[in-house]
Amino acid sequence: MTDDAAAARAAAEEESALSHPPVDPDATVTYGDDPDQLIDLYVPRGAGGPAPVVVVLHGGAWRAPYDRRHISPFAAFLAGRGFAVASVEYRRGEPGGGAAVAGRWPGTFDDVAAALDALPALIREHLPGADPRRVVLTGHSAGGHLALWAAARHLLPADAAWRTDGPPSLRGVVALAPIADLAVADKLGVCGGAVRQLLGGDDHFTARLAYADPALLLPTGIATTLVQGRTDIDVPQAVAESYAEAAAKAGEVVGVTLLEDVGHFPLIDPAADACAVVAEEIAQLAW
């Protein structure tokens, strides 16, 4: 396939995924005082008995214009499959930095850590049909990075404010086209230099990798699967493979599900077959 054909195909996939109207949640709760510190909750549809919980972290290169609304059809799709869903918003982009600036340091990480810490109590209070003992963490693209990072907080350097005493109570992580290895993603120029921006630019990049790069925080001891389209030109397959190789060197087996003729966005597009594969991967860990 030529570069032009690949770009046209990727654009069509993105258009399809983003063409669905946003789906309003059943409830929205807060985990802090900032306007972005919100979690949308979707109750499980047609589930018998307590339902597993899927925590969703959206992508968008950690940039401000991309919020949780674009992934709400995917969240509703999972709720329709019988999962309780918690879709987390977090701070993205530096205030006043413009739409092109990716992430905030340390705000983006502060928020993901705070949201995950607050979720068990919020689930018990606001999702009575959910089972807080069965939680799977998923995320797409930049959200896949944050999901892998959140599952590895117990491996952060001792001076990290986000470090936990032990691993989180998760059934597993399903990371979708994740920016899983920050160093490799940076070398590949993923998302227009977003990785370097997330860590605060050239002056901080190397020093902050140990606090932010999931590929350096292994083994987690948590069941982890990466789902990756082989024709993804936004976050290439090499990024996921590098994370899986780092895990193997650390003595941990990470599952990698590679989907033929699938790019970046079908993984969260309810109209795409790839989305059903994602739901099945989540189900295998959740039930």
Side-chain angles (χ1 to χ4, degrees), residues 3-257:
D3 289 347
D4 287 346
R9 175 172 165 167
E13 290 177 335
E14 180 176 1
E15 181 179 5
S16 175
L18 301 183
S19 68
H20 306 287
V23 180
D24 290 334
D26 295 294
T28 299
V29 296
T30 65
Y31 64 90
D33 296 330
D34 190 273
D36 281 327
Q37 292 174 328
L38 302 170
I39 303 173
D40 286 342
L41 303 177
Y42 297 81
V43 301
R45 310 301 194 224
V53 180
V54 182
V55 181
V56 176
L57 292 164
H58 70 81
W62 312 283
R63 291 188 170 118
Y66 305 99
D67 64 15
R68 70 196 187 285
R69 297 293 285 169
H70 82 269
I71 209 169
S72 63
F74 173 71
F77 172 81
L78 293 177
R81 291 293 187 104
F83 298 105
V85 180
S87 182
V88 176
E89 192 56 274
Y90 52 89
R91 284 174 286 177
R92 312 159 314 282
E94 287 291 348
V101 176
R104 299 190 202 182
W105 185 277
T108 298
F109 297 89
D110 287 344
D111 286 359
V112 172
L116 270 291
D117 290 345
L119 259 175
L122 292 172
I123 290 168
R124 286 191 292 269
E125 182 176 357
H126 298 283
L127 277 174
D131 184 352
R133 299 167 300 176
R134 290 186 291 164
V135 177
V136 174
L137 185 55
T138 192
H140 178 241
S141 193
H145 157 261
L146 293 172
L148 294 169
W149 175 85
R153 287 167 59 200
H154 56 297
L155 300 175
L156 286 167
D159 63 341
W162 313 297
R163 182 182 169 96
T164 56
D165 292 335
S169 180
L170 295 172
R171 283 293 182 94
V173 178
V174 179
L176 313 176
I179 305 178
D181 185 318
L182 295 187
V184 169
D186 180 63
K187 289 177 183 177
L188 294 175
V190 165
C191 297
V195 170
R196 194 160 289 255
Q197 293 172 14
L198 172 70
L199 301 192
D202 294 343
D203 291 344
H204 302 288
F205 181 74
T206 301
R208 289 177 175 172
L209 276 176
Y211 297 85
D213 192 346
L216 300 178
L217 301 171
L218 291 161
T220 66
I222 295 170
T224 300
T225 298
L226 313 184
V227 184
Q228 176 75 41
R230 284 190 180 275
T231 58
D232 191 333
I233 62 174
D234 294 285
V235 182
Q237 179 178 329
V239 179
E241 289 178 336
S242 180
Y243 177 87
E245 290 168 5
K249 289 178 182 177
E252 188 162 74
V253 176
V254 167
V256 181
T257 299

